[in-house]
């Protein structure tokens, strides 16, 4: 049976999204092509109609992860004043729900320990995705009149990542929640987001 180009694109999109979830959960080395294809109801044999190699799939999945991360940042910040948007994004990023959403959360938090084992091309792709998130944060900080919005955006992003990672490491749920809550408070205080507009 022959399928049209639109069907092929929809199928590829399903495979990429399934791979993105699997990679977040198991890392790029922990996934198998057959398992990813089975997750979307396809056979291993159909893989090469969409991708040249597993590396090609991983690169597409990393792109998907960052597209989802940028969309989440936009959803939290658009249609809001810059301070309200930043506050909402910090609250989302350091929430118990995001901490627990390992298969759908921030790709940097999920995969930073895997980066040294990735190819140079994939690391560059990953760095570009991270930088796009920093640029979006920087734009919001610039709207707030911060003197060095890019440097501050990198610092805030690092704090968000670190706090989320430490909260995920903590096995005691109450302590993990406290790490998230105290980090939310500290970041918002540093950015002046805890003061009335």
């Amino acid at each position: 049976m022959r399928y049209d180009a639109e069907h092929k694109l929809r199928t590829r999109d399903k495979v990429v999204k399934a791979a993105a979830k699997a990679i977040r959960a198991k890392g790029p080395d922990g996934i198998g092509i057959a398992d990813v294809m089975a997750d979307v109801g396809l056979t291993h044999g159909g893989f090469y109609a969409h991708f040249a190699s597993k590396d090609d799939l991983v690169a597409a999945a990393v792109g998907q992860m960052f597209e989802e991360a940028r969309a989440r940042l936009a959803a939290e910040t658009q249609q809001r004043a810059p301070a309200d948007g930043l506050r909402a994004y910090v609250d989302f990023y350091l929430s118990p729900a995001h901490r627990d959403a390992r298969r759908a959360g921030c790709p940097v938090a999920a995969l930073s320990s895997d980066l040294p084992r990735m190819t140079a091309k994939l690391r560059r792709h990953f760095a570009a995705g991270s930088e796009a998130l920093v640029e979006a944060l920087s734009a919001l900080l610039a709207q707030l009149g911060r003197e060095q919005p890019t440097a501050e955006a990198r610092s805030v992003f690092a704090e968000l990542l670190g706090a989320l990672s430490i909260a995920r490491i903590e096995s005691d749920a109450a302590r993990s929640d406290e790490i998230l809550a105290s980090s939310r408070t500290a970041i918002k205080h540093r950015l002046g987001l805890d003061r009335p507009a």
Side-chain angles (χ1 to χ4, degrees):
M1 173 183 272
R2 295 180 65 105
Y3 293 106
D4 62 18
E6 189 174 315
H7 178 270
K8 186 174 179 179
L9 284 174
R10 282 194 310 270
T11 300
R12 185 181 193 281
D13 187 55
K14 283 185 198 174
V15 173
V16 169
K17 287 178 178 174
K21 287 181 181 177
I23 290 168
R24 281 189 187 102
K26 302 176 185 176
D29 294 334
I31 67 161
I33 292 170
D35 292 334
V36 171
M37 296 300 282
D39 281 349
V40 294
L42 300 171
T43 64
H44 181 273
F47 175 81
Y48 293 101
H50 303 281
F51 306 97
S53 64
K54 180 180 172 182
D55 283 348
D56 187 28
L57 171 63
V58 171
V62 166
Q64 174 66 33
M65 289 181 227
F66 279 106
E67 184 179 313
E68 291 168 9
R70 285 189 301 273
R72 184 59 193 241
L73 176 59
E76 295 295 339
T77 59
Q78 288 179 352
Q79 308 301 319
R80 292 182 167 145
D84 292 338
L86 270 172
R87 196 178 294 114
Y89 186 67
V90 169
D91 286 341
F92 151 73
Y93 198 98
L94 296 179
S95 66
H98 187 215
R99 175 199 58 208
D100 298 341
R102 294 173 193 255
R103 291 175 56 100
C106 176
V108 183
L111 298 176
S112 58
S113 64
D114 292 299
L115 285 175
R117 293 183 297 278
M118 291 183 186
T119 65
K121 180 179 178 182
L122 195 51
R123 286 195 310 271
R124 286 191 300 273
H125 192 57
F126 205 89
S130 297
E131 190 61 20
L133 292 173
V134 167
E135 287 171 5
L137 289 171
S138 177
L140 290 166
L141 290 166
Q143 291 176 53
L144 290 175
R146 305 299 285 197
E147 289 183 20
Q148 297 181 322
T150 300
E152 195 162 34
R154 286 192 179 109
S155 175
V156 168
F157 193 50
E159 286 180 71
L160 290 168
L161 285 167
L164 181 64
S165 297
I166 292 168
R168 284 179 171 174
I169 291 167
E170 178 55 62
S171 60
D172 181 90
R175 281 197 302 259
S176 179
D177 287 347
E178 178 52 33
I179 290 165
L180 294 173
S182 62
S183 297
R184 284 192 309 266
T185 298
I187 291 170
K188 287 191 277 188
H189 178 72
R190 181 163 74 89
L191 296 176
L193 302 175
D194 57 349
R195 295 188 289 272

